[in-house]
mmCIF file of all heavy atoms in Angstrom:
data_model
loop_
_atom_site.group_PDB
_atom_site.id
_atom_site.type_symbol
_atom_site.label_atom_id
_atom_site.label_comp_id
_atom_site.label_asym_id
_atom_site.label_seq_id
_atom_site.Cartn_x
_atom_site.Cartn_y
_atom_site.Cartn_z
ATOM 1 N N GLU Q 1 -63.891 -169.573 -167.798
ATOM 2 C CA GLU Q 1 -63.842 -169.830 -169.218
ATOM 3 C C GLU Q 1 -63.991 -168.587 -170.056
ATOM 4 O O GLU Q 1 -64.665 -168.558 -171.076
ATOM 5 C CB GLU Q 1 -64.944 -170.857 -169.602
ATOM 6 C CG GLU Q 1 -64.762 -172.204 -168.885
ATOM 7 C CD GLU Q 1 -65.907 -173.163 -169.231
ATOM 8 O OE1 GLU Q 1 -66.960 -172.704 -169.722
ATOM 9 O OE2 GLU Q 1 -65.710 -174.389 -168.955
ATOM 10 N N GLY Q 2 -63.348 -167.516 -169.568
ATOM 11 C CA GLY Q 2 -63.317 -166.295 -170.311
ATOM 12 C C GLY Q 2 -64.489 -165.317 -170.082
ATOM 13 O O GLY Q 2 -64.528 -164.273 -170.703
ATOM 14 N N ASN Q 3 -65.340 -165.660 -169.146
ATOM 15 C CA ASN Q 3 -66.508 -164.797 -168.870
ATOM 16 C C ASN Q 3 -66.163 -163.657 -167.969
ATOM 17 O O ASN Q 3 -67.035 -162.785 -167.652
ATOM 18 C CB ASN Q 3 -67.647 -165.608 -168.276
ATOM 19 C CG ASN Q 3 -68.261 -166.539 -169.293
ATOM 20 O OD1 ASN Q 3 -68.337 -166.236 -170.431
ATOM 21 N ND2 ASN Q 3 -68.642 -167.727 -168.850
ATOM 22 N N GLY Q 4 -64.960 -163.535 -167.451
ATOM 23 C CA GLY Q 4 -64.587 -162.458 -166.610
ATOM 24 C C GLY Q 4 -63.046 -162.456 -166.405
ATOM 25 O O GLY Q 4 -62.344 -163.343 -166.906
ATOM 26 N N TRP Q 5 -62.534 -161.392 -165.793
ATOM 27 C CA TRP Q 5 -61.125 -161.273 -165.550
ATOM 28 C C TRP Q 5 -60.887 -160.950 -164.059
ATOM 29 O O TRP Q 5 -61.687 -160.182 -163.464
ATOM 30 C CB TRP Q 5 -60.514 -160.168 -166.383
ATOM 31 C CG TRP Q 5 -60.542 -160.411 -167.851
ATOM 32 C CD1 TRP Q 5 -59.681 -161.143 -168.601
ATOM 33 C CD2 TRP Q 5 -61.547 -159.892 -168.811
ATOM 34 N NE1 TRP Q 5 -60.077 -161.159 -169.916
ATOM 35 C CE2 TRP Q 5 -61.190 -160.380 -170.059
ATOM 36 C CE3 TRP Q 5 -62.747 -159.154 -168.614
ATOM 37 C CZ2 TRP Q 5 -61.988 -160.155 -171.160
ATOM 38 C CZ3 TRP Q 5 -63.483 -158.918 -169.759
ATOM 39 C CH2 TRP Q 5 -63.097 -159.414 -171.044
ATOM 40 N N ALA Q 6 -59.903 -161.534 -163.476
ATOM 41 C CA ALA Q 6 -59.573 -161.331 -162.062
ATOM 42 C C ALA Q 6 -58.151 -160.826 -161.950
ATOM 43 O O ALA Q 6 -57.223 -161.364 -162.620
ATOM 44 C CB ALA Q 6 -59.767 -162.605 -161.258
ATOM 45 N N TYR Q 7 -57.971 -159.831 -161.068
ATOM 46 C CA TYR Q 7 -56.618 -159.237 -160.807
ATOM 47 C C TYR Q 7 -56.348 -159.224 -159.325
ATOM 48 O O TYR Q 7 -57.262 -159.129 -158.474
ATOM 49 C CB TYR Q 7 -56.542 -157.813 -161.339
ATOM 50 C CG TYR Q 7 -56.750 -157.654 -162.830
ATOM 51 C CD1 TYR Q 7 -58.062 -157.539 -163.318
ATOM 52 C CD2 TYR Q 7 -55.669 -157.636 -163.683
ATOM 53 C CE1 TYR Q 7 -58.222 -157.390 -164.691
ATOM 54 C CE2 TYR Q 7 -55.873 -157.459 -165.071
ATOM 55 C CZ TYR Q 7 -57.143 -157.348 -165.537
ATOM 56 O OH TYR Q 7 -57.342 -157.157 -166.888
ATOM 57 N N ALA Q 8 -55.068 -159.327 -158.955
ATOM 58 C CA ALA Q 8 -54.682 -159.226 -157.525
ATOM 59 C C ALA Q 8 -53.171 -158.960 -157.468
ATOM 60 O O ALA Q 8 -52.472 -159.182 -158.444
ATOM 61 C CB ALA Q 8 -55.037 -160.479 -156.767
ATOM 62 N N ASP Q 9 -52.707 -158.462 -156.319
ATOM 63 C CA ASP Q 9 -51.279 -158.364 -156.104
ATOM 64 C C ASP Q 9 -50.876 -159.093 -154.825
ATOM 65 O O ASP Q 9 -49.697 -159.173 -154.541
ATOM 66 C CB ASP Q 9 -50.858 -156.904 -156.050
ATOM 67 C CG ASP Q 9 -51.564 -156.120 -154.911
ATOM 68 O OD1 ASP Q 9 -52.381 -156.712 -154.217
ATOM 69 O OD2 ASP Q 9 -51.327 -154.914 -154.773
ATOM 70 N N PHE Q 10 -51.817 -159.616 -154.091
ATOM 71 C CA PHE Q 10 -51.564 -160.361 -152.869
ATOM 72 C C PHE Q 10 -50.644 -159.671 -151.926
ATOM 73 O O PHE Q 10 -49.787 -160.216 -151.266
ATOM 74 C CB PHE Q 10 -51.008 -161.760 -153.218
ATOM 75 C CG PHE Q 10 -51.984 -162.664 -153.953
ATOM 76 C CD1 PHE Q 10 -51.899 -162.812 -155.305
ATOM 77 C CD2 PHE Q 10 -52.950 -163.296 -153.237
ATOM 78 C CE1 PHE Q 10 -52.827 -163.573 -155.960
ATOM 79 C CE2 PHE Q 10 -53.874 -164.081 -153.861
ATOM 80 C CZ PHE Q 10 -53.830 -164.243 -155.248
ATOM 81 N N ARG Q 11 -50.854 -158.345 -151.815
ATOM 82 C CA ARG Q 11 -50.133 -157.522 -150.864
ATOM 83 C C ARG Q 11 -51.104 -156.941 -149.840
ATOM 84 O O ARG Q 11 -52.207 -156.605 -150.229
ATOM 85 C CB ARG Q 11 -49.356 -156.384 -151.563
ATOM 86 C CG ARG Q 11 -48.194 -156.863 -152.434
ATOM 87 C CD ARG Q 11 -47.524 -155.671 -153.062
ATOM 88 N NE ARG Q 11 -46.454 -156.075 -153.965
ATOM 89 C CZ ARG Q 11 -45.194 -156.409 -153.552
ATOM 90 N NH1 ARG Q 11 -44.861 -156.293 -152.261
ATOM 91 N NH2 ARG Q 11 -44.305 -156.774 -154.440
ATOM 92 N N ILE Q 12 -50.674 -156.770 -148.608
ATOM 93 C CA ILE Q 12 -51.513 -156.126 -147.610
ATOM 94 C C ILE Q 12 -51.215 -154.631 -147.716
ATOM 95 O O ILE Q 12 -50.101 -154.190 -147.496
ATOM 96 C CB ILE Q 12 -51.158 -156.622 -146.204
ATOM 97 C CG1 ILE Q 12 -51.451 -158.166 -146.133
ATOM 98 C CG2 ILE Q 12 -51.973 -155.930 -145.163
ATOM 99 C CD1 ILE Q 12 -51.065 -158.805 -144.812
ATOM 100 N N ARG Q 13 -52.226 -153.891 -148.100
ATOM 101 C CA ARG Q 13 -52.018 -152.414 -148.308
ATOM 102 C C ARG Q 13 -52.132 -151.675 -147.028
ATOM 103 O O ARG Q 13 -52.395 -152.241 -145.971
ATOM 104 C CB ARG Q 13 -53.034 -151.942 -149.345
ATOM 105 C CG ARG Q 13 -52.906 -152.679 -150.704
ATOM 106 C CD ARG Q 13 -53.738 -152.042 -151.781
ATOM 107 N NE ARG Q 13 -53.624 -152.721 -153.059
ATOM 108 C CZ ARG Q 13 -54.258 -152.393 -154.146
ATOM 109 N NH1 ARG Q 13 -55.050 -151.306 -154.128
ATOM 110 N NH2 ARG Q 13 -54.134 -153.063 -155.250
ATOM 111 N N GLU Q 14 -52.002 -150.399 -147.114
ATOM 112 C CA GLU Q 14 -51.995 -149.498 -145.953
ATOM 113 C C GLU Q 14 -53.360 -149.617 -145.196
ATOM 114 O O GLU Q 14 -53.356 -149.412 -143.974
ATOM 115 C CB GLU Q 14 -51.724 -148.085 -146.345
ATOM 116 C CG GLU Q 14 -50.300 -147.873 -146.840
ATOM 117 C CD GLU Q 14 -50.046 -146.410 -147.165
ATOM 118 O OE1 GLU Q 14 -50.984 -145.615 -147.031
ATOM 119 O OE2 GLU Q 14 -48.928 -146.075 -147.526
ATOM 120 N N ASP Q 15 -54.419 -149.936 -145.868
ATOM 121 C CA ASP Q 15 -55.737 -150.044 -145.181
ATOM 122 C C ASP Q 15 -55.913 -151.372 -144.483
ATOM 123 O O ASP Q 15 -56.924 -151.626 -143.849
ATOM 124 C CB ASP Q 15 -56.850 -149.843 -146.182
ATOM 125 C CG ASP Q 15 -56.869 -150.827 -147.336
ATOM 126 O OD1 ASP Q 15 -55.979 -151.716 -147.331
ATOM 127 O OD2 ASP Q 15 -57.669 -150.685 -148.260
ATOM 128 N N GLY Q 16 -54.873 -152.290 -144.610
ATOM 129 C CA GLY Q 16 -54.914 -153.595 -143.909
ATOM 130 C C GLY Q 16 -55.589 -154.661 -144.741
ATOM 131 O O GLY Q 16 -55.735 -155.797 -144.208
ATOM 132 N N PHE Q 17 -55.943 -154.432 -145.972
ATOM 133 C CA PHE Q 17 -56.646 -155.455 -146.779
ATOM 134 C C PHE Q 17 -55.838 -155.824 -147.966
ATOM 135 O O PHE Q 17 -55.033 -155.048 -148.516
ATOM 136 C CB PHE Q 17 -58.000 -154.850 -147.255
ATOM 137 C CG PHE Q 17 -59.017 -154.704 -146.180
ATOM 138 C CD1 PHE Q 17 -59.058 -153.527 -145.376
ATOM 139 C CD2 PHE Q 17 -59.938 -155.676 -145.900
ATOM 140 C CE1 PHE Q 17 -59.954 -153.385 -144.375
ATOM 141 C CE2 PHE Q 17 -60.893 -155.522 -144.926
ATOM 142 C CZ PHE Q 17 -60.897 -154.399 -144.141
ATOM 143 N N THR Q 18 -56.038 -157.065 -148.417
ATOM 144 C CA THR Q 18 -55.562 -157.535 -149.736
ATOM 145 C C THR Q 18 -56.654 -157.289 -150.735
ATOM 146 O O THR Q 18 -57.800 -157.665 -150.505
ATOM 147 C CB THR Q 18 -55.199 -159.035 -149.642
ATOM 148 O OG1 THR Q 18 -54.272 -159.263 -148.616
ATOM 149 C CG2 THR Q 18 -54.646 -159.492 -150.991
ATOM 150 N N HIS Q 19 -56.323 -156.665 -151.889
ATOM 151 C CA HIS Q 19 -57.346 -156.264 -152.807
ATOM 152 C C HIS Q 19 -57.394 -157.117 -154.052
ATOM 153 O O HIS Q 19 -56.323 -157.558 -154.600
ATOM 154 C CB HIS Q 19 -57.145 -154.787 -153.215
ATOM 155 C CG HIS Q 19 -57.507 -153.822 -152.146
ATOM 156 N ND1 HIS Q 19 -58.643 -153.068 -152.150
ATOM 157 C CD2 HIS Q 19 -56.854 -153.467 -151.011
ATOM 158 C CE1 HIS Q 19 -58.706 -152.323 -151.083
ATOM 159 N NE2 HIS Q 19 -57.581 -152.548 -150.344
ATOM 160 N N PHE Q 20 -58.605 -157.373 -154.539
ATOM 161 C CA PHE Q 20 -58.878 -158.090 -155.736
ATOM 162 C C PHE Q 20 -59.803 -157.268 -156.653
ATOM 163 O O PHE Q 20 -60.647 -156.485 -156.119
ATOM 164 C CB PHE Q 20 -59.564 -159.458 -155.490
ATOM 165 C CG PHE Q 20 -58.736 -160.402 -154.737
ATOM 166 C CD1 PHE Q 20 -58.665 -160.398 -153.372
ATOM 167 C CD2 PHE Q 20 -58.008 -161.427 -155.425
ATOM 168 C CE1 PHE Q 20 -57.901 -161.314 -152.655
ATOM 169 C CE2 PHE Q 20 -57.268 -162.362 -154.693
ATOM 170 C CZ PHE Q 20 -57.188 -162.289 -153.336
ATOM 171 N N LEU Q 21 -59.694 -157.423 -157.902
ATOM 172 C CA LEU Q 21 -60.599 -156.778 -158.848
ATOM 173 C C LEU Q 21 -61.126 -157.902 -159.818
ATOM 174 O O LEU Q 21 -60.298 -158.626 -160.409
ATOM 175 C CB LEU Q 21 -59.917 -155.686 -159.682
ATOM 176 C CG LEU Q 21 -60.719 -155.094 -160.837
ATOM 177 C CD1 LEU Q 21 -61.933 -154.355 -160.311
ATOM 178 C CD2 LEU Q 21 -59.857 -154.181 -161.669
ATOM 179 N N VAL Q 22 -62.453 -157.917 -159.978
ATOM 180 C CA VAL Q 22 -63.064 -158.900 -160.838
ATOM 181 C C VAL Q 22 -63.926 -158.137 -161.862
ATOM 182 O O VAL Q 22 -64.875 -157.405 -161.460
ATOM 183 C CB VAL Q 22 -63.937 -159.929 -160.129
ATOM 184 C CG1 VAL Q 22 -64.605 -160.859 -161.105
ATOM 185 C CG2 VAL Q 22 -63.116 -160.765 -159.107
ATOM 186 N N LEU Q 23 -63.529 -158.224 -163.142
ATOM 187 C CA LEU Q 23 -64.325 -157.581 -164.176
ATOM 188 C C LEU Q 23 -65.295 -158.654 -164.736
ATOM 189 O O LEU Q 23 -64.865 -159.699 -165.241
ATOM 190 C CB LEU Q 23 -63.383 -157.102 -165.329
ATOM 191 C CG LEU Q 23 -62.353 -156.004 -164.897
ATOM 192 C CD1 LEU Q 23 -61.519 -155.632 -166.112
ATOM 193 C CD2 LEU Q 23 -63.057 -154.824 -164.266
ATOM 194 N N ASN Q 24 -66.582 -158.381 -164.612
ATOM 195 C CA ASN Q 24 -67.651 -159.274 -164.989
ATOM 196 C C ASN Q 24 -68.088 -158.958 -166.386
ATOM 197 O O ASN Q 24 -68.787 -157.995 -166.631
ATOM 198 C CB ASN Q 24 -68.778 -159.268 -164.007
ATOM 199 C CG ASN Q 24 -69.837 -160.284 -164.290
ATOM 200 O OD1 ASN Q 24 -69.686 -161.098 -165.209
ATOM 201 N ND2 ASN Q 24 -70.889 -160.240 -163.520
ATOM 202 N N ARG Q 25 -67.698 -159.839 -167.343
ATOM 203 C CA ARG Q 25 -68.094 -159.625 -168.745
ATOM 204 C C ARG Q 25 -69.368 -160.334 -169.082
ATOM 205 O O ARG Q 25 -70.281 -159.788 -169.689
ATOM 206 C CB ARG Q 25 -66.941 -160.057 -169.682
ATOM 207 C CG ARG Q 25 -67.236 -159.717 -171.144
ATOM 208 C CD ARG Q 25 -65.999 -160.062 -172.002
ATOM 209 N NE ARG Q 25 -65.760 -161.511 -172.089
ATOM 210 C CZ ARG Q 25 -66.332 -162.274 -173.048
ATOM 211 N NH1 ARG Q 25 -67.086 -161.738 -173.975
ATOM 212 N NH2 ARG Q 25 -66.066 -163.555 -173.087
#
């Protein structure tokens, strides 16, 4: 409900992981 923002690209990167970013407001 607007208390944070989440980002992703759903790609497996060179390190073997899928990455997400969550900004906690």
